[in-house]
Amino acid sequence: MSYRFCPLCGRPLVPVRDSGDGRERPGCPTGHFIHYEGMAAAVNAVVFRGEEVVLQRRAIEPGRGLWDLPGGYLEKFEGPQEGVIREVREETGLTVRVGRLLDARAGTRSPVLVLYYEAEPVDGELKASPESLEVRWFHWRQLPWPEIAFAGAREVLRAWIRERFGG
Ligand SMILES: [Zn+2]
């Protein structure tokens, strides 16, 4: 989503040369405002116990009906580990201890930077949320690869399995 009007004075934005890096961006002709289109930040978690990983089946688009890692967008000023704990609790009912940062990838369809963390449950019962049709543990050898919604999640999971189990 882009701004079309200056949020300070309401004039339509026009292409302006940004003196910082010389690139053209939408800006107020008075010089009030330049619109930087950056990326949102999100977290995904590889929640595991022993040889099993939690996936949730998405209730919402994109990828409705497909499996995904638990995760979501960070709230304003929220740290990534806190975001993992909140999102995993909301989507799976599990309370986790957050481990290593596994990877960081830019989205391909949405402007979002996704941080992937390892996490282990310390409390709670597996329970689907309104955002998921189902949540369950999968043995790493039985992950539903063709039904995992996003390439980023598949690639991070494959690398994690290779490193952890040599599989
Ligand atoms: Zn303005």
Side-chain angles (χ1 to χ4, degrees):
M1 191 163 66
S2 294
Y3 286 94
R4 292 192 296 136
F5 299 96
C6 177
L8 299 176
C9 72
R11 288 183 178 84
L13 299 184
V14 296
V16 298
R17 183 76 59 189
D18 182 344
S19 60
D21 61 7
R23 287 178 59 179
E24 270 198 350
R25 295 193 167 85
C28 179
T30 68
H32 276 146
F33 172 80
I34 293 179
H35 179 47
Y36 292 92
E37 240 180 333
M39 287 197 284
V43 288
N44 270 3
V46 176
V47 179
F48 73 102
R49 65 171 187 203
E51 300 195 338
E52 293 180 308
V53 176
V54 172
L55 296 181
Q56 52 131 341
R57 209 148 63 80
R58 296 175 62 83
I60 52 175
E61 296 292 356
R64 186 184 146 79
L66 298 175
W67 293 95
D68 194 12
L69 296 170
Y73 288 93
L74 293 177
E75 305 283 1
K76 200 185 283 183
F77 304 122
E78 183 177 45
Q81 285 91 350
E82 288 69 42
V84 168
I85 291 167
R86 178 181 55 75
E87 287 286 352
V88 173
R89 188 179 286 140
E90 285 172 9
E91 295 185 353
T92 72
L94 300 173
T95 301
V96 291
R97 182 162 46 80
V98 182
R100 293 177 304 146
L101 176 65
L102 297 171
D103 206 347
R105 289 164 170 256
T108 51
R109 287 182 289 188
S110 306
V112 57
L113 178 69
V114 186
L115 307 176
Y116 296 84
Y117 283 90
E118 206 175 50
E120 285 185 88
V122 292
D123 198 12
E125 295 283 323
L126 205 60
K127 183 174 172 294
S129 76
E131 290 174 41
S132 50
L133 301 169
E134 190 183 351
V135 284
R136 54 163 285 199
W137 293 102
F138 285 90
H139 190 277
W140 66 266
R141 292 183 189 278
Q142 285 152 6
L143 286 165
W145 292 110
E147 290 174 48
I148 295 177
F150 304 112
R154 288 195 297 272
E155 289 164 19
V156 169
L157 267 171
R158 282 216 166 86
W160 180 81
I161 286 167
R162 202 175 308 124
E163 182 196 295
R164 189 163 187 89
F165 305 112

